[in-house]
């Protein structure tokens, strides 16, 4: 009888120790170690930390950026004589510009195409014709492939990169850009890309380098 009681007490002791060790392991385990109602893709997304190298990002920016951009159709209506009550002046005193040009690629336009009837000017963005070649939407694979084929030119902003050094071996920046632009969708539409570019640009008509790299690293 005494031997049986000792055996029972010993087994109870072992069970208690086992439960204590198990509960302690759960308490100190990483949060993602126990999955409750979460998909594998969500867990993978939480665990993935994408590092963006500006030298790689500028290779992408230099493929998308352009030297010319159309801005405000009303800009060309100003006589540029510094009239104090001019409706085409900015609140800070500057002028509304119809368009702008740069010696090196500076802007990724937020539009696919734009025309000002008053001045007879029109412009089609590089990304709209070279990425959306077969329709109004692309998959990530198509986006990556077509952006890789776009011609690079050293842009205004970011680390200097010569054309001969602008080959892309790792597509992590392009894939990151696609994820930001499509905003969770499987395909990226031409309209969504233009809308998202303007959002990243803070409401401006063109996305410059500073906002481009900030968008890649802060989203």
């Amino acid at each position: 009888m005494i031997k049986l009681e000792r055996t029972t007490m010993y087994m109870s002791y072992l069970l208690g120790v086992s439960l204590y060790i198990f509960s302690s392991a759960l308490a100190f385990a990483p949060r993602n170690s126990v999955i409750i109602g979460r998909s594998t893709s969500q867990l993978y997304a939480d665990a993935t930390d994408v590092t963006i190298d500006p030298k790689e990002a500028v290779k992408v920016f230099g493929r998308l950026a352009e030297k010319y951009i159309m801005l405000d159709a009303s800009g060309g209506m100003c006589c540029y004589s510094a009239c104090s009550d001019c409706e085409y002046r900015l609140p800070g005193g500057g002028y509304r510009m119809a368009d702008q040009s740069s010696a090196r690629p500076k802007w990724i336009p937020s539009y696919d195409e734009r025309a000002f009837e008053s001045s007879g000017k029109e412009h089609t963005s590089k990304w709209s014709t070279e990425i959306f070649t077969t329709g109004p939407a692309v998959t990530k694979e198509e986006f990556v492939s077509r952006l890789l084929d776009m011609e690079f030119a050293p842009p205004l902003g970011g680390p200097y990169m010569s054309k001969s050094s602008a080959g892309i071996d790792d597509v992590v920046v392009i894939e990151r850009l696609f994820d930001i632009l499509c905003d969770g969708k499987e395909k990226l539409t031409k309209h969504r890309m233009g809308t998202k570019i303007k959002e990243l640009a803070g409401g401006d008509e063109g996305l410059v380098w500073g906002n481009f790299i900030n968008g890649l690293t802060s989203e």
Side-chain angles (χ1 to χ4, degrees):
M1 178 66 71
I2 295 174
K3 184 176 181 180
L4 179 60
E5 289 178 353
R6 288 180 177 177
T7 301
T8 303
M9 291 175 63
Y10 181 68
M11 292 179 66
S12 297
Y13 170 75
L14 290 178
L15 179 60
V17 170
S18 299
L19 289 173
Y20 174 77
I21 293 174
F22 180 72
S23 61
S24 298
L26 286 179
F28 290 98
R31 189 177 68 178
N32 288 338
S33 296
V34 181
I35 307 173
I36 302 176
R38 299 182 67 192
S39 67
T40 303
S41 61
Q42 288 176 311
L43 176 62
Y44 180 79
D46 288 349
T48 302
D49 183 17
V50 178
T51 300
I52 300 298
D53 183 350
K55 291 183 179 179
E56 293 300 315
V58 80
K59 295 177 182 179
V60 176
F61 185 74
R63 283 170 163 77
L64 294 169
E66 303 190 42
K67 297 179 180 180
Y68 177 76
I69 190 170
M70 296 182 72
L71 301 171
D72 189 334
S74 68
M77 300 178 184
C78 181
C79 66
Y80 303 105
S81 299
C83 306
S84 59
D85 59 346
C86 178
E87 62 180 301
Y88 304 116
R89 297 282 294 274
L90 296 170
Y95 291 102
R96 297 184 189 278
M97 304 299 293
D99 54 1
Q100 282 189 306
S101 297
S102 174
R104 286 160 57 185
K106 180 180 179 180
W107 307 275
I108 302 176
S110 63
Y111 54 84
D112 57 336
E113 57 183 344
R114 179 166 288 177
F116 294 162
E117 293 183 5
S118 59
S119 61
K121 294 181 178 181
E122 60 183 36
H123 178 234
T124 301
S125 61
K126 183 180 176 184
W127 60 259
S128 70
T129 58
E130 297 191 30
I131 293 178
F132 298 90
T133 57
T134 57
V138 293
T139 62
K140 177 180 282 190
E141 291 74 18
E142 291 170 335
F143 182 82
V144 171
S145 175
R146 292 169 190 175
L147 204 153
L148 285 172
D149 288 339
M150 293 176 73
E151 185 177 1
F152 172 87
L156 190 63
Y160 179 77
M161 183 71 60
S162 66
K163 185 175 182 178
S164 60
S165 302
I168 299 176
D169 298 319
D170 190 342
V171 298
V172 63
V173 176
I174 303 178
E175 291 181 336
R176 171 68 170 162
L177 179 60
F178 177 89
D179 291 340
I180 292 171
L181 294 174
C182 73
D183 204 17
K185 305 294 184 180
E186 290 187 4
K187 289 188 175 184
L188 174 64
T189 65
K190 188 182 292 189
H191 174 74
R192 183 177 295 277
M193 182 163 176
T195 300
K196 193 63 178 182
I197 286 174
K198 189 163 186 174
E199 181 182 320
L200 293 171
D204 291 340
E205 298 299 329
L207 182 61
V208 295
W209 165 256
N211 289 332
F212 178 80
I213 189 64
N214 286 342
L216 287 175
T217 56
S218 63
E219 280 282 329

